[in-house]
Short mmCIF file of all heavy atoms in Angstrom, two decimals:
data_model
loop_
_atom_site.label_atom_id
_atom_site.label_comp_id
_atom_site.label_asym_id
_atom_site.label_seq_id
_atom_site.Cartn_x
_atom_site.Cartn_y
_atom_site.Cartn_z
N HIS A 132 60.98 73.55 119.65
CA HIS A 132 60.56 73.92 118.28
C HIS A 132 61.75 73.98 117.32
O HIS A 132 62.78 74.58 117.61
CB HIS A 132 59.88 75.29 118.34
CG HIS A 132 59.16 75.67 117.07
ND1 HIS A 132 59.82 75.92 115.88
CD2 HIS A 132 57.84 75.84 116.80
CE1 HIS A 132 58.93 76.22 114.93
NE2 HIS A 132 57.73 76.19 115.47
N VAL A 133 61.58 73.34 116.15
CA VAL A 133 62.60 73.44 115.10
C VAL A 133 61.98 73.95 113.81
O VAL A 133 60.77 73.82 113.58
CB VAL A 133 63.29 72.08 114.81
CG1 VAL A 133 64.06 71.57 116.03
CG2 VAL A 133 62.31 71.03 114.30
N SER A 134 62.85 74.57 112.98
CA SER A 134 62.46 74.97 111.63
C SER A 134 63.30 74.15 110.66
O SER A 134 64.37 73.65 111.03
CB SER A 134 62.72 76.47 111.43
OG SER A 134 61.93 77.23 112.34
N TYR A 135 62.83 73.98 109.44
CA TYR A 135 63.54 73.20 108.43
C TYR A 135 63.88 74.11 107.26
O TYR A 135 63.01 74.82 106.76
CB TYR A 135 62.67 72.02 107.96
CG TYR A 135 62.34 71.04 109.07
CD1 TYR A 135 61.15 71.15 109.79
CD2 TYR A 135 63.23 70.02 109.42
CE1 TYR A 135 60.84 70.26 110.82
CE2 TYR A 135 62.93 69.13 110.44
CZ TYR A 135 61.73 69.25 111.14
OH TYR A 135 61.44 68.36 112.16
N HIS A 136 65.14 74.06 106.83
CA HIS A 136 65.61 74.93 105.75
C HIS A 136 66.23 74.07 104.65
O HIS A 136 67.07 73.21 104.95
CB HIS A 136 66.65 75.91 106.33
CG HIS A 136 67.27 76.82 105.31
ND1 HIS A 136 68.60 77.20 105.36
CD2 HIS A 136 66.76 77.42 104.20
CE1 HIS A 136 68.88 78.00 104.35
NE2 HIS A 136 67.78 78.16 103.63
N ILE A 137 65.81 74.28 103.42
CA ILE A 137 66.41 73.57 102.29
C ILE A 137 67.13 74.61 101.43
O ILE A 137 66.52 75.25 100.57
CB ILE A 137 65.34 72.80 101.46
CG1 ILE A 137 64.44 71.97 102.39
CG2 ILE A 137 66.03 71.91 100.41
CD1 ILE A 137 63.34 71.18 101.68
N PRO A 138 68.44 74.82 101.68
CA PRO A 138 69.15 75.91 101.02
C PRO A 138 69.10 75.84 99.50
O PRO A 138 68.89 76.87 98.84
CB PRO A 138 70.60 75.76 101.53
CG PRO A 138 70.48 75.01 102.82
CD PRO A 138 69.29 74.10 102.65
N GLU A 139 69.24 74.64 98.92
CA GLU A 139 69.27 74.55 97.45
C GLU A 139 67.94 74.94 96.83
O GLU A 139 67.89 75.38 95.69
CB GLU A 139 69.64 73.13 97.01
CG GLU A 139 71.11 72.84 97.24
CD GLU A 139 71.45 71.37 96.98
OE1 GLU A 139 70.53 70.56 96.70
OE2 GLU A 139 72.64 71.04 97.09
N LEU A 140 66.87 74.78 97.57
CA LEU A 140 65.55 75.14 97.04
C LEU A 140 65.12 76.53 97.50
O LEU A 140 64.03 77.00 97.14
CB LEU A 140 64.51 74.10 97.49
CG LEU A 140 64.74 72.67 97.04
CD1 LEU A 140 63.64 71.75 97.57
CD2 LEU A 140 64.79 72.58 95.52
N LYS A 141 65.94 77.16 98.34
CA LYS A 141 65.62 78.49 98.88
C LYS A 141 64.24 78.50 99.53
O LYS A 141 63.38 79.34 99.22
CB LYS A 141 65.68 79.55 97.77
CG LYS A 141 67.08 79.74 97.18
CD LYS A 141 67.03 80.80 96.09
CE LYS A 141 68.37 81.00 95.41
NZ LYS A 141 69.40 81.52 96.31
N VAL A 142 64.03 77.56 100.44
CA VAL A 142 62.74 77.50 101.12
C VAL A 142 62.96 77.08 102.57
O VAL A 142 63.89 76.33 102.88
CB VAL A 142 61.79 76.51 100.37
CG1 VAL A 142 62.34 75.10 100.37
CG2 VAL A 142 60.38 76.53 100.96
N ALA A 143 62.14 77.64 103.48
CA ALA A 143 62.22 77.26 104.89
C ALA A 143 60.81 77.14 105.47
O ALA A 143 59.88 77.83 105.02
CB ALA A 143 63.04 78.27 105.68
N PHE A 144 60.68 76.27 106.46
CA PHE A 144 59.40 75.98 107.10
C PHE A 144 59.54 76.35 108.56
O PHE A 144 60.31 75.73 109.29
CB PHE A 144 59.06 74.50 106.88
CG PHE A 144 59.09 74.14 105.43
CD1 PHE A 144 60.23 73.61 104.85
CD2 PHE A 144 57.99 74.40 104.63
CE1 PHE A 144 60.28 73.33 103.49
CE2 PHE A 144 58.03 74.13 103.27
CZ PHE A 144 59.18 73.59 102.69
N THR A 145 58.82 77.37 108.97
CA THR A 145 59.10 77.98 110.27
C THR A 145 58.03 77.72 111.33
O THR A 145 58.10 78.29 112.42
CB THR A 145 59.30 79.51 110.09
OG1 THR A 145 58.10 80.07 109.52
CG2 THR A 145 60.47 79.80 109.15
N GLY A 146 57.09 76.82 111.04
CA GLY A 146 56.11 76.40 112.04
C GLY A 146 55.42 77.56 112.73
O GLY A 146 54.87 78.45 112.08
N ASP A 147 55.45 77.56 114.07
CA ASP A 147 54.82 78.64 114.84
C ASP A 147 55.88 79.59 115.42
O ASP A 147 55.68 80.16 116.50
CB ASP A 147 53.94 78.07 115.96
CG ASP A 147 52.65 77.46 115.41
OD1 ASP A 147 52.44 77.48 114.18
OD2 ASP A 147 51.85 76.95 116.22
#
Side-chain angles (χ1 to χ4, degrees):
H132 191 293
V133 297
S134 298
Y135 298 95
H136 177 217
I137 311 180
E139 287 172 356
L140 299 179
K141 295 180 183 295
V142 62
F144 305 94
T145 59
D147 287 0

